Protein backbone atom coordinates (compact mmCIF):
# COMPACT_ATOMS: atom_id res chain seq x y z
CA UNK A 1 0.00 0.00 0.00
CA UNK A 2 1.34 3.42 -0.99
CA UNK A 3 -1.14 6.01 0.18
CA UNK A 4 1.39 8.14 2.08
CA UNK A 5 3.81 8.61 -0.81
CA UNK A 6 3.77 12.18 -2.10
CA UNK A 7 4.65 13.27 -5.63
CA UNK A 8 6.90 16.24 -6.34
CA UNK A 9 4.85 19.41 -6.32
CA UNK A 10 3.36 20.26 -9.69
CA UNK A 11 2.68 23.81 -10.90
CA UNK A 12 -0.83 25.17 -10.31
CA UNK A 13 -1.90 26.76 -13.58
CA UNK A 14 -4.97 27.75 -15.46
CA UNK A 15 -8.49 28.89 -14.58
CA UNK A 16 -11.31 26.53 -13.77
CA UNK A 17 -14.73 26.63 -15.32
CA UNK A 18 -16.29 25.25 -12.11
CA UNK A 19 -14.66 27.38 -9.46
CA UNK A 20 -17.34 27.85 -6.82
CA UNK A 21 -15.92 27.55 -3.32
CA UNK A 22 -19.09 26.44 -1.55
CA UNK A 23 -19.05 23.01 0.05
CA UNK A 24 -20.64 20.17 -1.89
CA UNK A 25 -22.48 17.08 -0.83
CA UNK A 26 -22.46 13.95 -2.95
CA UNK A 27 -25.85 14.57 -4.65
CA UNK A 28 -24.59 18.02 -5.68
CA UNK A 29 -21.48 16.46 -7.19
CA UNK A 30 -23.69 14.01 -9.08
CA UNK A 31 -25.90 16.87 -10.25
CA UNK A 32 -22.99 18.97 -11.54
CA UNK A 33 -21.64 15.98 -13.46
CA UNK A 34 -25.07 14.88 -14.70
CA UNK A 35 -24.29 15.46 -18.39
CA UNK A 36 -21.08 13.43 -18.23
CA UNK A 37 -22.67 10.67 -16.11
CA UNK A 38 -25.56 10.41 -18.57
CA UNK A 39 -23.10 10.11 -21.47
CA UNK A 40 -21.23 7.39 -19.60
CA UNK A 41 -24.42 5.45 -18.88
CA UNK A 42 -25.42 5.61 -22.55
CA UNK A 43 -22.02 4.10 -23.39
CA UNK A 44 -22.55 1.32 -20.85
CA UNK A 45 -26.01 0.55 -22.17
CA UNK A 46 -24.75 0.53 -25.77
CA UNK A 47 -21.84 -1.73 -24.80
CA UNK A 48 -24.23 -4.23 -23.23
CA UNK A 49 -26.61 -4.48 -26.19
CA UNK A 50 -26.83 -8.08 -27.35
CA UNK A 51 -28.89 -10.00 -29.90
CA UNK A 52 -30.16 -12.48 -27.35
CA UNK A 53 -33.52 -11.62 -25.73
CA UNK A 54 -32.94 -13.48 -22.46
CA UNK A 55 -29.53 -11.93 -21.81
CA UNK A 56 -30.76 -8.48 -22.87
CA UNK A 57 -33.64 -8.79 -20.40
CA UNK A 58 -31.21 -9.75 -17.60
CA UNK A 59 -28.95 -6.80 -18.46
CA UNK A 60 -31.85 -4.34 -18.64
CA UNK A 61 -33.21 -5.49 -15.28
CA UNK A 62 -29.74 -5.24 -13.73
CA UNK A 63 -29.22 -1.69 -15.02
CA UNK A 64 -32.42 -0.45 -13.37
CA UNK A 65 -30.37 0.21 -10.24
CA UNK A 66 -27.01 1.80 -11.00
CA UNK A 67 -25.95 2.46 -7.42
CA UNK A 68 -24.19 5.69 -6.51
CA UNK A 69 -21.55 5.28 -9.25
CA UNK A 70 -18.84 6.72 -7.02
CA UNK A 71 -16.11 4.94 -8.98
CA UNK A 72 -16.85 6.23 -12.49
CA UNK A 73 -17.44 9.68 -10.98
CA UNK A 74 -13.93 9.46 -9.57
CA UNK A 75 -12.61 8.61 -13.05
CA UNK A 76 -14.26 11.79 -14.37
CA UNK A 77 -12.99 13.96 -11.51
CA UNK A 78 -9.46 12.53 -11.77
CA UNK A 79 -9.42 13.41 -15.47
CA UNK A 80 -10.77 16.90 -14.82
CA UNK A 81 -8.23 17.54 -12.06
CA UNK A 82 -5.41 16.37 -14.34
CA UNK A 83 -6.56 18.79 -17.04
CA UNK A 84 -6.80 21.63 -14.51
CA UNK A 85 -3.22 20.98 -13.46
CA UNK A 86 -2.10 21.13 -17.09
CA UNK A 87 -3.89 24.45 -17.56
CA UNK A 88 -6.52 22.98 -19.86
CA UNK A 89 -10.28 23.34 -19.87
CA UNK A 90 -11.60 20.34 -17.84
CA UNK A 91 -13.77 18.84 -20.57
CA UNK A 92 -14.50 15.12 -20.37
CA UNK A 93 -13.65 13.37 -23.64
CA UNK A 94 -15.09 10.12 -24.97
CA UNK A 95 -11.71 8.56 -24.16
CA UNK A 96 -12.22 9.35 -20.47
CA UNK A 97 -15.79 8.08 -20.60
CA UNK A 98 -14.74 4.78 -22.19
CA UNK A 99 -12.25 4.35 -19.34
CA UNK A 100 -14.97 5.06 -16.78
CA UNK A 101 -17.33 2.65 -18.52
CA UNK A 102 -14.68 -0.07 -18.55
CA UNK A 103 -14.09 0.27 -14.84
CA UNK A 104 -17.80 0.38 -14.00
CA UNK A 105 -18.51 -2.72 -16.12
CA UNK A 106 -15.70 -4.65 -14.45
CA UNK A 107 -16.86 -3.50 -11.02
CA UNK A 108 -20.39 -4.73 -11.76
CA UNK A 109 -19.04 -8.01 -13.10
CA UNK A 110 -17.30 -8.52 -9.75
CA UNK A 111 -20.54 -7.76 -7.89
CA UNK A 112 -22.48 -10.29 -9.97
CA UNK A 113 -19.85 -12.94 -9.29
CA UNK A 114 -19.67 -12.00 -5.59
CA UNK A 115 -23.43 -12.50 -5.25
CA UNK A 116 -22.98 -16.05 -6.51
CA UNK A 117 -20.08 -16.74 -4.14
CA UNK A 118 -21.90 -15.22 -1.15
CA UNK A 119 -25.29 -16.68 -2.16
CA UNK A 120 -26.74 -13.16 -1.87
CA UNK A 121 -30.39 -12.74 -2.77
CA UNK A 122 -30.62 -8.94 -2.89
CA UNK A 123 -28.40 -6.05 -3.96
CA UNK A 124 -29.33 -2.36 -4.01
CA UNK A 125 -32.78 -3.35 -2.81
CA UNK A 126 -33.47 -5.62 -5.80
CA UNK A 127 -33.18 -9.38 -6.33
CA UNK A 128 -29.77 -10.52 -7.57
CA UNK A 129 -29.34 -12.22 -10.93
CA UNK A 130 -28.58 -15.54 -9.22
CA UNK A 131 -31.75 -15.22 -7.13
CA UNK A 132 -33.99 -14.58 -10.14
CA UNK A 133 -32.31 -16.96 -12.57
CA UNK A 134 -29.61 -19.26 -11.19
CA UNK A 135 -25.88 -19.39 -10.51
CA UNK A 136 -25.04 -20.61 -14.02
CA UNK A 137 -26.75 -17.66 -15.68
CA UNK A 138 -25.29 -15.21 -13.14
CA UNK A 139 -21.70 -16.40 -13.66
CA UNK A 140 -22.03 -16.22 -17.44
CA UNK A 141 -23.63 -12.77 -17.22
CA UNK A 142 -20.70 -11.63 -15.10
CA UNK A 143 -18.33 -13.02 -17.72
CA UNK A 144 -20.24 -11.05 -20.37
CA UNK A 145 -19.70 -7.87 -18.35
CA UNK A 146 -15.97 -8.64 -18.11
CA UNK A 147 -15.67 -9.01 -21.88
CA UNK A 148 -17.46 -5.70 -22.39
CA UNK A 149 -15.20 -4.00 -19.84
CA UNK A 150 -12.18 -5.04 -21.89
CA UNK A 151 -13.90 -3.86 -25.09
CA UNK A 152 -14.46 -0.43 -23.55
CA UNK A 153 -10.83 -0.30 -22.43
CA UNK A 154 -9.78 -0.98 -26.03
CA UNK A 155 -11.81 2.09 -27.13
CA UNK A 156 -9.56 4.34 -25.04
CA UNK A 157 -6.82 3.61 -27.56
CA UNK A 158 -4.36 3.00 -24.72
CA UNK A 159 -2.58 -0.27 -24.08
CA UNK A 160 -1.85 1.05 -20.60
CA UNK A 161 -5.59 1.43 -19.90
CA UNK A 162 -6.19 -2.13 -21.13
CA UNK A 163 -3.39 -3.30 -18.83
CA UNK A 164 -4.93 -1.46 -15.87
CA UNK A 165 -8.33 -3.10 -16.44
CA UNK A 166 -6.92 -6.60 -16.89
CA UNK A 167 -4.70 -6.25 -13.82
CA UNK A 168 -7.66 -4.94 -11.83
CA UNK A 169 -9.64 -8.07 -12.74
CA UNK A 170 -6.79 -10.15 -11.40
CA UNK A 171 -6.58 -8.18 -8.15
CA UNK A 172 -10.33 -8.38 -7.52
CA UNK A 173 -10.25 -12.15 -7.98
CA UNK A 174 -7.28 -12.52 -5.64
CA UNK A 175 -9.00 -10.33 -3.07
CA UNK A 176 -12.08 -12.52 -3.00
CA UNK A 177 -10.02 -15.71 -2.83
CA UNK A 178 -7.93 -14.24 -0.02
CA UNK A 179 -11.07 -13.28 1.88
CA UNK A 180 -12.44 -16.82 1.58
CA UNK A 181 -9.15 -18.33 2.77
CA UNK A 182 -8.89 -15.91 5.69
CA UNK A 183 -12.42 -16.84 6.78
CA UNK A 184 -11.91 -20.55 6.25
CA UNK A 185 -8.59 -20.77 8.10
CA UNK A 186 -9.43 -18.15 10.77
CA UNK A 187 -6.47 -15.89 10.00
CA UNK A 188 -7.60 -13.17 12.36
CA UNK A 189 -5.20 -10.25 12.02
CA UNK A 190 -5.44 -6.64 10.91
CA UNK A 191 -2.59 -7.28 8.48
CA UNK A 192 -4.64 -9.91 6.62
CA UNK A 193 -7.71 -7.67 6.80
CA UNK A 194 -5.96 -4.75 5.13
CA UNK A 195 -4.34 -7.03 2.57
CA UNK A 196 -7.80 -8.28 1.59
CA UNK A 197 -9.52 -4.90 1.37
CA UNK A 198 -6.61 -3.49 -0.61
CA UNK A 199 -7.25 -6.07 -3.32
CA UNK A 200 -11.04 -6.25 -3.23
CA UNK A 201 -11.88 -2.54 -2.83
CA UNK A 202 -8.92 -0.15 -2.76
CA UNK A 203 -7.71 -1.40 -6.15
CA UNK A 204 -10.94 -0.21 -7.74
CA UNK A 205 -10.40 3.30 -6.39
CA UNK A 206 -6.73 3.23 -7.36
CA UNK A 207 -7.67 2.47 -10.94
CA UNK A 208 -10.26 5.24 -11.01
CA UNK A 209 -7.42 7.71 -10.49
CA UNK A 210 -5.08 5.86 -12.83
CA UNK A 211 -7.56 5.68 -15.70
CA UNK A 212 -8.86 9.22 -15.29
CA UNK A 213 -5.40 10.77 -15.17
CA UNK A 214 -4.06 8.55 -17.95
CA UNK A 215 -6.85 9.35 -20.39
CA UNK A 216 -6.44 13.06 -19.58
CA UNK A 217 -2.75 12.93 -20.52
CA UNK A 218 -0.83 12.43 -17.28
CA UNK A 219 1.99 9.94 -16.81
CA UNK A 220 1.95 7.38 -14.00
CA UNK A 221 4.59 9.42 -12.17
CA UNK A 222 2.55 12.63 -12.46
CA UNK A 223 -0.55 10.89 -11.14
CA UNK A 224 1.12 9.01 -8.28
CA UNK A 225 -0.10 11.25 -5.45
CA UNK A 226 -3.68 11.24 -6.77
CA UNK A 227 -3.53 7.45 -7.04
CA UNK A 228 -2.34 7.23 -3.44
CA UNK A 229 -5.17 9.51 -2.31
CA UNK A 230 -7.68 7.29 -4.13
CA UNK A 231 -6.22 4.22 -2.43
CA UNK A 232 -6.86 5.74 0.98
CA UNK A 233 -10.43 6.53 -0.11
CA UNK A 234 -10.97 2.92 -1.17
CA UNK A 235 -9.68 1.51 2.11
CA UNK A 236 -11.94 3.84 4.08
CA UNK A 237 -14.89 2.92 1.85
CA UNK A 238 -14.51 -0.74 2.78
CA UNK A 239 -13.96 -0.02 6.48
CA UNK A 240 -17.21 1.98 6.53
CA UNK A 241 -19.04 -0.83 4.70
CA UNK A 242 -17.74 -3.25 7.33
CA UNK A 243 -18.93 -1.00 10.18
CA UNK A 244 -22.47 -1.31 8.84
CA UNK A 245 -22.39 -5.02 9.68
CA UNK A 246 -22.40 -4.10 13.37
CA UNK A 247 -25.23 -1.54 13.20
CA UNK A 248 -29.00 -1.77 13.00
CA UNK A 249 -29.30 0.00 9.65
CA UNK A 250 -31.10 -0.80 6.42
CA UNK A 251 -28.11 -0.80 4.06
CA UNK A 252 -29.21 -3.57 1.73
CA UNK A 253 -27.94 -6.46 3.84
CA UNK A 254 -28.93 -7.76 7.28
CA UNK A 255 -26.92 -6.86 10.37
CA UNK A 256 -24.22 -9.45 11.02
CA UNK A 257 -24.23 -10.74 7.45
CA UNK A 258 -20.43 -10.59 7.18
CA UNK A 259 -20.08 -12.55 10.41
CA UNK A 260 -22.61 -15.06 9.14
CA UNK A 261 -20.32 -15.59 6.13
CA UNK A 262 -17.25 -15.99 8.33
CA UNK A 263 -15.81 -12.53 7.60
CA UNK A 264 -14.17 -10.97 10.65
CA UNK A 265 -13.62 -7.28 9.98
CA UNK A 266 -11.86 -4.37 11.68
CA UNK A 267 -14.25 -3.61 14.60
CA UNK A 268 -14.20 -7.21 15.84
CA UNK A 269 -10.50 -7.68 15.11
CA UNK A 270 -9.70 -4.69 17.32
CA UNK A 271 -11.92 -5.96 20.13
CA UNK A 272 -10.33 -9.40 19.98
CA UNK A 273 -6.87 -7.86 20.12
CA UNK A 274 -7.51 -5.46 23.02
CA UNK A 275 -10.09 -7.17 25.24
CA UNK A 276 -8.99 -9.16 28.31
CA UNK A 277 -8.43 -12.83 27.57
CA UNK A 278 -11.38 -13.91 29.71
CA UNK A 279 -13.65 -11.82 27.48
CA UNK A 280 -12.02 -12.60 24.13
CA UNK A 281 -11.54 -16.36 24.56
CA UNK A 282 -15.28 -17.21 24.30
CA UNK A 283 -15.46 -15.04 21.15
CA UNK A 284 -12.59 -16.95 19.55
CA UNK A 285 -14.45 -20.17 20.41
CA UNK A 286 -17.57 -18.87 18.66
CA UNK A 287 -15.58 -18.03 15.55
CA UNK A 288 -14.34 -21.63 15.35
CA UNK A 289 -17.90 -22.84 14.79
CA UNK A 290 -18.90 -23.95 11.30
CA UNK A 291 -22.13 -21.97 11.48
CA UNK A 292 -23.09 -19.08 13.73
CA UNK A 293 -26.56 -18.77 15.19
CA UNK A 294 -28.38 -15.46 15.49
CA UNK A 295 -27.50 -15.44 19.18
CA UNK A 296 -23.81 -16.06 18.39
CA UNK A 297 -23.79 -13.12 15.99
CA UNK A 298 -25.51 -10.88 18.52
CA UNK A 299 -22.86 -11.77 21.11
CA UNK A 300 -20.00 -11.00 18.72
CA UNK A 301 -21.54 -7.66 17.75
CA UNK A 302 -22.09 -6.72 21.38
CA UNK A 303 -18.50 -7.70 22.18
CA UNK A 304 -17.13 -5.55 19.32
CA UNK A 305 -19.13 -2.58 20.56
CA UNK A 306 -18.20 -3.07 24.22
CA UNK A 307 -14.49 -3.06 23.45
CA UNK A 308 -14.65 0.01 21.18
CA UNK A 309 -14.26 -1.78 17.87
CA UNK A 310 -16.52 0.62 16.00
CA UNK A 311 -14.89 3.70 17.53
CA UNK A 312 -11.50 2.28 16.59
CA UNK A 313 -12.58 1.73 12.99
CA UNK A 314 -13.77 5.33 12.78
CA UNK A 315 -10.46 6.54 14.23
CA UNK A 316 -8.55 4.58 11.58
CA UNK A 317 -10.59 6.26 8.82
CA UNK A 318 -10.16 9.72 10.32
CA UNK A 319 -6.41 9.21 10.66
CA UNK A 320 -6.16 7.93 7.10
CA UNK A 321 -8.12 10.89 5.73
CA UNK A 322 -5.93 13.33 7.66
CA UNK A 323 -2.72 11.75 6.38
CA UNK A 324 -4.03 11.47 2.81
CA UNK A 325 -5.24 15.10 2.57
CA UNK A 326 -1.82 16.61 1.67
CA UNK A 327 -1.46 14.21 -1.25
CA UNK A 328 -3.60 16.37 -3.55
CA UNK A 329 -2.76 19.82 -2.18
CA UNK A 330 -0.36 20.51 -5.06
CA UNK A 331 -3.28 20.41 -7.52
CA UNK A 332 -5.14 23.66 -8.30
CA UNK A 333 -7.83 24.65 -5.80
CA UNK A 334 -10.61 23.87 -8.24
CA UNK A 335 -14.03 22.26 -8.21
CA UNK A 336 -12.70 18.81 -9.16
CA UNK A 337 -10.24 18.77 -6.26
CA UNK A 338 -12.84 19.90 -3.76
CA UNK A 339 -15.28 17.32 -5.12
CA UNK A 340 -12.75 14.56 -4.46
CA UNK A 341 -12.23 15.90 -0.93
CA UNK A 342 -15.98 15.95 -0.33
CA UNK A 343 -16.37 12.40 -1.65
CA UNK A 344 -13.78 11.31 0.92
CA UNK A 345 -15.84 13.05 3.61
CA UNK A 346 -18.99 11.42 2.28
CA UNK A 347 -17.40 7.95 2.33
CA UNK A 348 -16.77 8.26 6.06
CA UNK A 349 -20.02 10.03 6.97
CA UNK A 350 -22.49 8.09 4.78
CA UNK A 351 -25.22 6.08 6.45
CA UNK A 352 -25.90 3.61 3.61
Amino acid sequence: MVYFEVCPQAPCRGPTSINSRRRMDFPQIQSELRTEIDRLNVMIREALKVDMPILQRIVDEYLISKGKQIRPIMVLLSAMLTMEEAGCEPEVSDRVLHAGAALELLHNASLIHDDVVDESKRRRGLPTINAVWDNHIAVLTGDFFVSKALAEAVKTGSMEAISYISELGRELSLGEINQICVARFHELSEEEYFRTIYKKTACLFINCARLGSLTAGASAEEAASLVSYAEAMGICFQIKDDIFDYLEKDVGKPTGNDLREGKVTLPLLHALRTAPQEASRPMYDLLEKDELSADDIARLIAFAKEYDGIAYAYSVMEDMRSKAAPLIMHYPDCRARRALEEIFNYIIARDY
Side-chain angles (χ1 to χ4, degrees), residues 98-309:
H98 283 304
L103 188 134
E104 182 72 344
L105 284 163
L106 185 59
H107 170 52
N108 280 278
S110 73
L111 297 180
I112 293 167
H113 287 154
D114 289 353
D115 287 339
V116 174
V117 172
D118 297 337
E119 300 180 1
S120 300
K121 301 304 179 187
R122 299 189 72 80
R123 180 176 291 277
R124 300 168 183 164
L126 296 172
T128 57
I129 294 175
N130 50 294
V132 175
W133 300 86
D134 59 31
N135 285 346
H136 298 86
I137 294 293
V139 168
L140 294 171
T141 302
D143 292 346
F144 177 67
F145 273 64
V146 171
S147 70
K148 291 301 180 178
L150 290 169
E152 287 299 299
V154 169
K155 291 178 183 178
T156 67
S158 167
M159 283 301 299
E160 198 168 0
I162 298 168
S163 176
Y164 285 156
I165 288 294
S166 61
E167 179 66 16
L168 174 58
R170 172 183 173 274
E171 289 294 312
L172 292 174
S173 299
L174 290 175
E176 284 300 318
I177 293 170
N178 192 67
Q179 181 169 262
I180 292 168
C181 291
V182 166
R184 185 166 297 174
F185 299 109
H186 307 291
E187 297 176 17
L188 305 179
S189 72
E190 287 189 24
E191 182 181 3
E192 283 297 334
Y193 170 77
F194 281 107
R195 182 177 292 114
T196 295
I197 68 172
Y198 173 83
K199 290 183 178 296
K200 66 173 287 189
T201 304
C203 275
L204 275 161
F205 283 73
I206 285 169
N207 281 282
C208 292
R210 281 177 173 168
L211 288 164
S213 58
L214 170 70
T215 51
S219 68
E221 292 75 20
E222 291 167 335
S225 65
L226 179 58
V227 169
S228 298
Y229 184 82
E231 180 183 351
M233 292 176 76
I235 291 170
C236 289
F237 187 94
Q238 188 59 54
I239 292 173
K240 186 59 184 280
D241 256 16
D242 294 339
I243 288 173
F244 288 139
D245 202 50
Y246 298 83
L247 304 177
E248 293 289 343
K249 283 184 175 290
D250 182 11
V251 293
K253 65 178 183 179
T255 303
N257 196 61
D258 288 343
L259 289 168
R260 194 172 290 106
E261 295 172 359
K263 301 170 186 174
V264 180
T265 54
L266 193 58
L268 184 54
L269 287 170
H270 172 76
L272 290 168
R273 179 170 57 84
T274 59
Q277 186 173 7
E278 61 269 22
S280 63
R281 186 67 264 167
M283 300 302 109
Y284 279 111
D285 292 340
L286 284 180
L287 293 171
E288 291 291 333
K289 295 174 66 173
D290 291 335
E291 187 172 337
L292 294 171
S293 68
D295 182 62
D296 294 334
I297 291 170
R299 287 179 63 192
L300 287 164
I301 290 173
F303 170 78
K305 291 178 178 178
E306 181 180 356
Y307 290 96
D308 298 324

Side-chain angles (χ1 to χ4, degrees), residues 1-13:
M1 291 179 278
V2 295
Y3 45 79
F4 299 140
E5 290 183 4
V6 183
C7 284
Q9 184 161 324
C12 298
R13 300 190 302 272

Side-chain angles (χ1 to χ4, degrees), residues 2-131:
V2 295
Y3 45 79
F4 299 140
E5 290 183 4
V6 183
C7 284
Q9 184 161 324
C12 298
R13 300 190 302 272
T16 173
S17 61
I18 44 174
N19 57 8
S20 169
R21 290 182 177 273
R22 65 183 174 82
R23 289 181 64 84
M24 296 168 280
D25 59 19
F26 188 66
Q28 288 172 326
I29 294 169
Q30 290 174 306
S31 177
E32 294 200 3
L33 291 171
R34 179 49 52 198
T35 298
E36 290 79 10
I37 294 170
D38 286 346
R39 286 167 61 199
L40 180 137
N41 285 325
V42 168
M43 279 188 178
I44 290 173
R45 190 168 289 279
E46 286 297 315
L48 292 171
K49 280 188 175 179
V50 59
D51 187 20
M52 182 180 293
I54 290 177
L55 181 55
Q56 191 64 62
R57 176 183 167 187
I58 293 168
V59 167
D60 290 343
E61 289 174 351
Y62 184 83
L63 293 178
I64 289 172
S65 175
K66 298 181 180 65
K68 296 180 283 292
Q69 294 192 300
I70 288 177
R71 296 158 191 84
I73 286 172
M74 284 184 59
V75 175
L76 304 181
L77 291 172
S78 296
M80 293 169 72
L81 188 56
T82 297
M83 288 182 272
E84 291 277 9
E85 186 179 37
C88 303
E89 191 71 17
E91 295 180 355
V92 176
S93 67
D94 281 355
R95 190 166 181 246
V96 173
L97 291 172
H98 283 304
L103 188 134
E104 182 72 344
L105 284 163
L106 185 59
H107 170 52
N108 280 278
S110 73
L111 297 180
I112 293 167
H113 287 154
D114 289 353
D115 287 339
V116 174
V117 172
D118 297 337
E119 300 180 1
S120 300
K121 301 304 179 187
R122 299 189 72 80
R123 180 176 291 277
R124 300 168 183 164
L126 296 172
T128 57
I129 294 175
N130 50 294

Side-chain angles (χ1 to χ4, degrees), residues 6 9-10 12 225 229 324-333 337 341:
V6 183
Q9 184 161 324
C12 298
S225 65
Y229 184 82
L327 291 168
I328 59 171
M329 286 300 104
H330 66 84
Y331 286 98
D333 182 16
R337 194 187 88 184
E341 292 167 345

